């Protein structure tokens, strides 16, 4: 069984995140780069299955700028046997369709039985890539799983549906994504960090994968970007025993109740 | 997929068709997002609803879609359990696409909507705009608005060419379309995705209907939202937020820490990885106001916060902040409001 985890590096949401007001692209220097929290959970699902399974191999795949290599190494410290990094100038500002094409091409190159991703990234908030990749690869998708069970030949889990929840099951090969209902990832130990340095990490360009970023297919392009003015704080009082009453008066005065 | 009843009158062909996927609950009711999806579509062209309903409920759902402004509705019926995941939805949307040649397709940005959008985009080779908070049309076509980095930025995007597929963030659009008498067309599903090669789709083995005990307004559309955080200390303590919500006729929300601690259901989570709300009034009780929480509520018109810690970041964005114990402030608030007859 070969599991590939889709690894995304994102600007740290605890810090400041900026867009360049001319290009609309992420201001890479403004923020610290971290592994997207939801990716950590996807890695944990893969690594904990691999520990319990007879023969399972875990590979990590990231598509992103050169900095993503450091994030891949850090992620390898949590587990996983190898890492794969698609890095190419042509990917700057890539839209969803190009990104899905690149990931699918890389997965075809690496080989997989099961692909695990986070459901929605904290920077792009699209939540579309895993299913787009599955469709390109002609495999089943089972996304936004709140619980996951992996066997030799299938993957099953639970997810939200209109007016309830469903249990879904997909034969392998398949692409799944997990929600933040899945457990937190482990902390990499010293051993993990040391061994991560020696694990194979391969890089690919778009040309290696036969993907043409400039192909004349429909793409989404950004037309404009503007910064929302920061919100100001207003009145702040300390409760001296009458704050509830004062709040009631505030709300009534402003016709908010 | 076959069309059993085609009854297309002369239409104004200059107005582009905008397909709208409208989810249906097991009861046959349309999901609350129908009005905003059709409202957004009406700003772009002729709203055409697409419905996959439980057996026997398609027609009523189509009527309801008309109430929300659908000029034309494609309906099909099916059973959730035993069907393939997403495939039946995709089949009806694809059939409606064939029939109408839409300029844009709108789906809700939820778990199923995203899958439909993703499959449709790859199948038709179309561009996608995700997590869209508004739409308009310019000389060149459809423009989508996005709110990025937790409302820190607003961006606009457009497709280079072709149909644009849009996942619309729930609760973001205020436009509503006038009610219409829809032309209803019934589609027959060939069986849940039998045209799909075996092994390339997940199947649904079980459906569990959620028991909606709540009579509170839906968090996403509520004018007032009361949210509780870890500071409420326990499931029982969290009731305080519920009490205030009921007093104000408000939707109930929660921070992720409160959800993780089991005080509230995950569906109530407000923030970066939960729901984004834009109410007139947002009241945060025992919530520190981490950036990821702010991402889901900082566009509320008025923010009120009650927190014991004067340094809590929630106060940086609160219009009215109270440094105090929620268990003292809230009961007094409720009492005063009652006394004043509010
Ligand atoms: C990728 C990512 C995504 C995330 N997504 C979300 C999200 O969608 N939504 C979200 O909310 N969080 C999210 N978080 C988590 C976020 O960082 C915070 O951990 C979380 O919001 C904290 O919740 P809280 O304010 O309830 O708890 P705490 O930070 O523990 O705050 C509790 C507060 O209650 C106050 N308090 C205690 N007792 C009382 C009392 N009696 N009366 C009044 N005040 C009291 C305390 O002073 C404290 O400020 C995310 C984090 C990451 C990394």
């Amino acid at each position: 069984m070969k599991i590939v985890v889709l690894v995304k590096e994102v600007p740290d949401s605890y810090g400041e995140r900026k867009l360049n007001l001319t290009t609309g692209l992420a201001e890479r220097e403004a923020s610290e780069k971290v592994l997207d929290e939801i990716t950590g959970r996807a890695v944990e699902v893969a690594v904990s299955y691999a520990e319990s399974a007879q023969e399972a191999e875990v590979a990590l795949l990231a598509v992103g700028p050169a900095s993503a290599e450091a994030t891949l190494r850090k992620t390898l410290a949590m587990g996983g046997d190898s890492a794969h990094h698609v890095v190419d100038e042509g990917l700057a500002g890539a839209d969803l369709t190009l990104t899905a094409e690149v990931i699918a091409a890389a997965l075809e190159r690496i080989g997989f039985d099961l692909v695990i991703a986070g459901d929605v990234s904290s920077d792009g908030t699209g939540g579309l890539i895993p299913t787009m990749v599955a469709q390109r690869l002609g495999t089943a998708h089972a996304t936004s799983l709140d619980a996951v069970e992996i066997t030799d030949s299938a993957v099953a889990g639970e997810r939200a549906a209109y007016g309830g929840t469903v249990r879904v099951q997909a034969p392998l090969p398949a692409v799944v994504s997990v929600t933040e209902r899945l457990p937190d990832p482990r902390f990499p130990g010293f051993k993990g960090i040391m061994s991560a340095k020696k694990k194979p990490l391969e890089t690919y360009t778009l040309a290696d994968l036969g993907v043409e970023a400039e192909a004349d297919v429909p793409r989404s392009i950004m037309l404009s970007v503007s910064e929302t003015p920061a919100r100001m704080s207003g009145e702040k009082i300390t409760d001296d025993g009458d704050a509830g009453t004062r709040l009631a008066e505030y709300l009534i005065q402003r016709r908010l109740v | 997929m076959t069309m059993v009843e085609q009854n297309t009158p002369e239409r104004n062909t200059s107005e582009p068709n905008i397909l709208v996927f409208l989810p249906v609950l097991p009861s046959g009711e349309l999901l609350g997002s129908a009005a905003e999806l059709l409202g957004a579509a009406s700003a772009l062209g002729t709203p055409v609803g697409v419905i996959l309903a439980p057996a026997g409920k398609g027609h009523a759902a189509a009527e309801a879609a008309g109430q929300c402004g659908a000029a034309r509705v494609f309906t099909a019926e099916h059973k959730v359990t035993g069907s393939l995941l997403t495939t039946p939805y995709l089949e009806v949307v694809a059939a409606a696409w064939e029939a109408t040649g839409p300029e844009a397709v709108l789906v809700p940005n939820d778990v199923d909507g995203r899958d439909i959008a993703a499959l449709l985009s790859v199948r038709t080779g179309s561009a996608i705009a995700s997590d869209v908070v508004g739409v308009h049309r310019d000389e060149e076509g459809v423009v989508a608005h996005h709110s990025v980095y937790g409302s820190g930025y607003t961006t606009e995007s457009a497709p280079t060419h072709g149909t644009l597929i849009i996942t619309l963030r729930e609760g973001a659009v205020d436009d509503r379309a006038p009610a219409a008498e829809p032309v209803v067309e019934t589609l027959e599903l060939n069986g849940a995705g039998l045209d799909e090669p075996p092994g390339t789709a997940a199947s649904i083995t079980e459906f569990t209907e959620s028991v909606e005990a709540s009579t509170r307004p839906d968090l996403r559309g509520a004018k007032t939202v009361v949210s509780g955080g870890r500071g409420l200390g326990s499931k029982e303590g969290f009731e305080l937020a519920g009490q205030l919500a009921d007093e104000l006729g408000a939707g109930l929300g929660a921070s992720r820490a409160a959800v993780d601690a089991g005080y509230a259901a995950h569906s109530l989570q407000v923030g970066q990885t939960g729901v984004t709300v834009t109410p007139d009034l947002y009241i945060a009780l025992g919530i520190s106001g981490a950036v990821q929480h702010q991402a889901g509520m900082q566009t509320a018109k008025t923010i009120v916060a009650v927190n014991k810690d004067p340094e809590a970041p929630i106060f940086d964005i609160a219009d009215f902040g109270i440094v105090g114990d929620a268990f003292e402030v809230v009961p007094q608030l409720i009492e005063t409001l009652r006394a004043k007859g509010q």
Side-chain angles (χ1 to χ4, degrees), chain A residues 26-253:
Chain A
E27 199 76 86
R28 300 216 162 260
E29 280 65 48
S31 327
E32 195 166 330
K33 300 290 174 314
V34 295
L35 179 69
D36 203 359
E37 193 205 45
I38 196 66
T39 298
R41 296 178 203 263
V43 172
E44 183 60 39
V45 171
V47 170
S48 58
Y49 173 75
E51 282 168 349
S52 69
Q54 285 298 336
E55 262 178 59
E57 178 195 343
V58 176
L60 310 178
L61 167 62
V63 174
S67 64
E69 184 166 326
T71 297
L72 272 172
R73 282 277 175 220
K74 279 190 204 150
T75 313
L76 277 173
M78 287 162 53
D81 304 293
S82 64
H84 304 263
H85 183 196
V86 184
V87 50
D88 195 303
E89 294 282 309
L91 283 166
D95 76 343
L96 289 160
T97 50
L98 177 58
T99 307
E101 185 181 351
V102 172
I103 293 175
L107 285 167
E108 261 164 352
R109 172 71 76 88
I110 300 163
F112 64 95
D113 297 296
L114 176 63
V115 178
I116 308 179
D119 62 340
V120 179
S121 69
S122 62
D123 59 345
T125 69
L128 294 154
I129 290 290
T131 302
M132 292 175 81
V133 167
Q135 178 78 353
R136 283 189 164 272
L137 295 168
T139 71
H141 69 274
T143 50
S144 297
L145 299 181
D146 292 327
V148 190
E149 298 119 56
I150 303 166
T151 64
D152 287 344
S153 58
V155 57
E158 266 167 42
R159 73 173 209 163
Y162 297 121
T165 54
V166 286
R167 262 198 77 73
V168 296
Q169 182 165 8
L172 299 184
V175 178
V176 304
S177 74
V178 298
T179 71
E180 61 180 12
R181 298 297 95 199
L182 272 295
D184 281 324
R186 65 195 62 198
F187 283 107
F190 180 70
K191 227 177 113 220
I193 294 168
M194 292 317 287
S195 66
K197 296 191 173 140
K198 297 189 209 87
K199 290 177 182 170
L201 190 153
E202 215 174 314
T203 60
Y204 311 79
T205 62
L206 291 183
D208 292 337
L209 299 174
V211 175
E212 219 192 301
E214 300 296 322
D216 185 25
V217 295
R219 302 270 191 223
S220 166
I221 48 169
M222 205 182 285
L223 302 178
S224 72
V225 52
S226 61
E227 196 169 358
T228 317
R231 197 174 174 117
M232 295 294 156
S233 60
E235 202 175 335
K236 182 169 156 193
I237 63 169
T238 301
D239 185 18
D240 290 324
D242 65 347
T245 307
R246 288 173 69 184
L247 175 54
E249 283 159 2
Y250 175 90
L251 296 175
I252 292 167
Q253 211 176 47

Side-chain angles (χ1 to χ4, degrees), chain A residues 13-14 36-37 122 180, chain B residues 229-232 254-258 269-274 286-290 292-293 306-309 312 324-327:
Chain A
S13 64
Y14 283 106
D36 203 359
E37 193 205 45
S122 62
E180 61 180 12
Chain B
R230 178 152 50 193
L232 297 183
S255 71
R256 187 167 86 174
Q269 183 174 318
V270 172
Q272 185 173 297
T273 46
I287 292 178
S288 60
Q292 298 92 352
H293 186 79
V306 184
N307 194 305
K308 269 190 191 165
D309 173 10
D325 186 338
F327 292 97

Side-chain angles (χ1 to χ4, degrees), chain A residues 228 231, chain B residues 147 151 276-279 294-301 303:
Chain A
T228 317
R231 197 174 174 117
Chain B
S147 178
S151 320
T276 301
V277 296
T278 315
Q294 291 191 15
M297 45 66 77
Q298 66 191 358
T299 52
K301 290 202 185 72
I303 296 172

